[in-house]
DNA sequence: TGTCATCCTTGACATGGATCAAAGGCGGGG
DNA sequence: CCCCGCCTTTGATCCATGTCAAGGATGACA
């Protein structure tokens, strides 16, 4: 069963607790503990993994692909509140129901851990709990960084900020050291981008066109983006810091 | 020294680990541990407690008053990313420098714990670490709730959301069970509100006037607010949920 | 190869909130 | 008691982004 999806699994195949999700430091005993309670699930782009309010029997880590956490108001306005990239964690130990709707924005593989035994493991192995705290604090910083984007940045700056986040994360995962001049695939539709940025999809489209016209990015098709000058992009994002959404 | 500020201190006087900040379950040993490393600091409205990037030798819990976490862009645009009300915690174990600027928006008393020994204590007492994780997850939920406010709500809804948060928190602290019809003091200037909401202070003022004209709130002076019908206010906030910024 | 669905782009126009400007409270200090 | 500084309110105008509408690309599938 694990072998079926193994090719996409990064380090999860060899050692699940190498997941940023679970523990930074490997240990054979923990590996065994996790082996018993883990399983893999695949989703196709657009599939909803769970709805806000659903009962949640597992916590999970993204192995490959991209998922989104979203909130929706009664009248349909929706806001994405988190973007889950490979190695990101989802689920809250101690909480039985999902707070947010989770959707696969691209084809996706998750490594799930049954919640109850996972919680027990946390309680018995302090350094895993500690690692989880660290990750949660990173996520909190990321969410706060994003509050600045949502509250104070212009549409153009918002787009540039999002592209910078994805570009950097992509570079890290690809072990790409040449951070100047890189290309990547956008794992989001224009609509998903607009939900993330608090914009309409038309505005997203227009601003991407504008950035292209101004030479900040080069489009290859609609989804593949080439950034000739990363510093320039960061500048457009208005970031003095290192850009933030990632820890 | 503690006696000087004791009258405002709520449960902190008798047992510092009763702080939501530190631990939900009292224990004499931990009380003693904390006794050694804690001290109190007072600030006046408008005072900056620390600047983003400052070295931080303590973590702390708000005893009374209100503080704000803010981020500022090079050109001066600022966004508040967290509102610290009594019992809220500030500081990140394991991080030496402050990520955000912390400002007292009203007169304020904090209970500080020296960082190094506090970290040791976390490592040696798992259930305090566990409590800290819980609190961080609550804060993360609050930040995400706020992303919806910043990204998708109108100015009027934003104001109503903020008032609802403060009203509810106030009611809880005052042990006020009559949630319908309550009054409270705004611990924020119009400018601070605008920084929180991603608006200008003029818009904040106009929307407050509008809510007043429409009978949603009654102003007594500029800072005291009376909410005749809490449900109505929640409705204006567009919240289907219970309003969120608080855990 | 054609058709259809989905995603994306672009245009025209409307509008919510920002910006610029002026003046009204209110509290503290001389 | 008056003056001054800060906070707040209100008005006039502008502009970034939303809204509504049409049409263009791309890929899946018959």
């Amino acid at each position: 069963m694990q072998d079926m999806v193994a090719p996409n699994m990064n380090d999860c195949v060899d050692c699940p607790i190498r997941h940023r999700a679970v523990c930074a430091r490997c240990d054979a005993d923990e590996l065994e503990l996790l082996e018993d309670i883990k399983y893999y699930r695949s989703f196709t782009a657009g599939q909803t993994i769970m709805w806000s309010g659903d009962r949640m029997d597992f916590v999970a880590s993204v192995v490959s692909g991209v998922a989104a956490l979203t909130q929706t108001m009664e009248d349909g306005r929706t806001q994405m509140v988190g973007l889950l990239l490979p190695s990101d964690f989802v689920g809250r130990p101690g909480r039985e129901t999902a707070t947010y709707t989770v959707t696969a924005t691209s084809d996706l593989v998750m490594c799930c851990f049954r919640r109850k035994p996972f919680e027990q493991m946390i309680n018995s192995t302090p350094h895993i709990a500690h690692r989880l705290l660290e990750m949660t604090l990173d996520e909190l910083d990321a969410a706060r960084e994003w509050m600045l984007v949502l509250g104070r940045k212009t549409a153009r700056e918002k787009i540039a900020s999002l592209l910078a986040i994805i570009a950097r994360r992509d570079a890290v995962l690809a072990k790409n050291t040449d951070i100047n001049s890189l290309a990547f695939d956008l794992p989001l539709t224009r609509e998903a981008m607009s939900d993330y940025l608090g914009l309409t999809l038309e505005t997203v489209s227009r601003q991407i066109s504008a950035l292209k016209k101004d030479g900040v990015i080069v489009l290859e098709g609609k989804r593949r983006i080439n950034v000739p000058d990363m510093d320039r992009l960061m500048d457009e994002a208005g970031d003095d810091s290192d850009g933030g959404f990632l820890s």
Side-chain angles (χ1 to χ4, degrees), chain A:
Chain A
M1 172 189 173
Q2 290 156 224
D3 289 332
M4 287 173 57
V5 278
N8 296 319
M9 249 173 233
N10 303 330
D11 52 7
C12 184
V13 176
D14 300 303
C15 170
I17 61 174
R18 253 202 266 142
H19 275 283
R20 207 176 137 241
V22 184
C23 178
R25 279 151 284 171
C26 277
D27 175 307
D29 294 346
E30 284 149 13
L31 196 156
E32 242 169 85
L33 278 171
L34 280 161
E35 206 57 46
D36 283 347
I37 66 172
K38 83 174 182 189
Y39 56 98
Y40 296 95
R41 293 181 68 189
S42 307
F43 301 89
T44 60
Q47 232 184 317
T48 293
I49 295 161
M50 70 185 61
W51 296 97
S52 162
D54 280 0
R55 185 183 168 76
M56 227 180 118
D57 292 319
F58 60 90
V59 296
S61 170
V62 175
V63 174
S64 66
V66 179
L69 302 181
T70 57
Q71 285 189 92
T72 304
M73 293 171 68
E74 293 168 8
D75 60 8
R77 284 177 280 177
T78 91
Q79 175 67 49
M80 197 186 295
V81 297
L83 195 58
L84 300 171
L85 300 172
S87 89
D88 280 337
F89 184 76
V90 59
R92 172 169 176 164
R95 176 169 293 175
E96 301 227 328
T97 57
T99 311
Y100 308 104
T101 297
V102 185
T103 312
T105 64
S106 70
D107 290 349
L108 180 73
V109 178
M110 298 188 105
C111 178
C112 305
F113 304 93
R114 289 188 293 118
R115 194 167 58 77
K116 276 271 154 46
F118 186 84
E119 283 168 10
Q120 284 164 8
M121 197 186 60
I122 285 174
N123 290 332
S124 57
T125 55
H127 81 267
I128 291 189
H130 194 265
R131 179 80 189 109
L132 209 51
L133 175 60
E134 257 176 31
M135 287 178 51
T136 306
L137 285 163
D138 285 345
E139 274 184 87
L140 183 57
D141 280 346
R144 286 175 164 166
E145 192 79 28
W146 205 250
M147 288 173 70
L148 176 65
V149 173
L150 288 173
R152 293 303 186 191
K153 290 194 180 179
T154 64
R156 172 186 264 243
E157 289 169 334
K158 286 178 173 180
I159 298 285
S161 298
L162 178 56
L163 294 181
I165 285 167
I166 296 174
R168 192 166 338 99
R169 179 67 156 248
D170 226 69
V172 170
L173 283 185
K175 312 273 195 284
N176 183 350
T177 49
D178 177 21
I179 196 106
N180 292 311
S181 185
L182 47 83
F184 57 92
D185 283 309
L186 263 183
L188 303 172
T189 65
R190 301 289 186 262
E191 188 182 20
M193 293 175 74
S194 74
D195 283 342
Y196 200 16
L197 298 166
L199 298 170
T200 59
L201 72 112
E202 293 95 328
T203 299
V204 169
S205 180
R206 272 186 255 272
Q207 295 300 333
I208 288 181
S209 298
L211 287 173
K212 175 175 136 195
K213 185 160 68 71
D214 297 345
V216 181
I217 58 176
V218 179
L219 286 181
E220 298 161 14
K222 299 193 190 275
R223 289 297 189 87
R224 187 152 190 86
I225 293 200
N226 192 335
V227 182
D229 180 355
M230 196 62 196
D231 289 341
R232 173 81 192 284
L233 181 62
M234 302 279 287
D235 218 59
E236 291 284 352
D239 280 336
D240 39 352
S241 78
D242 68 335
F245 199 83
L246 313 172
S247 47

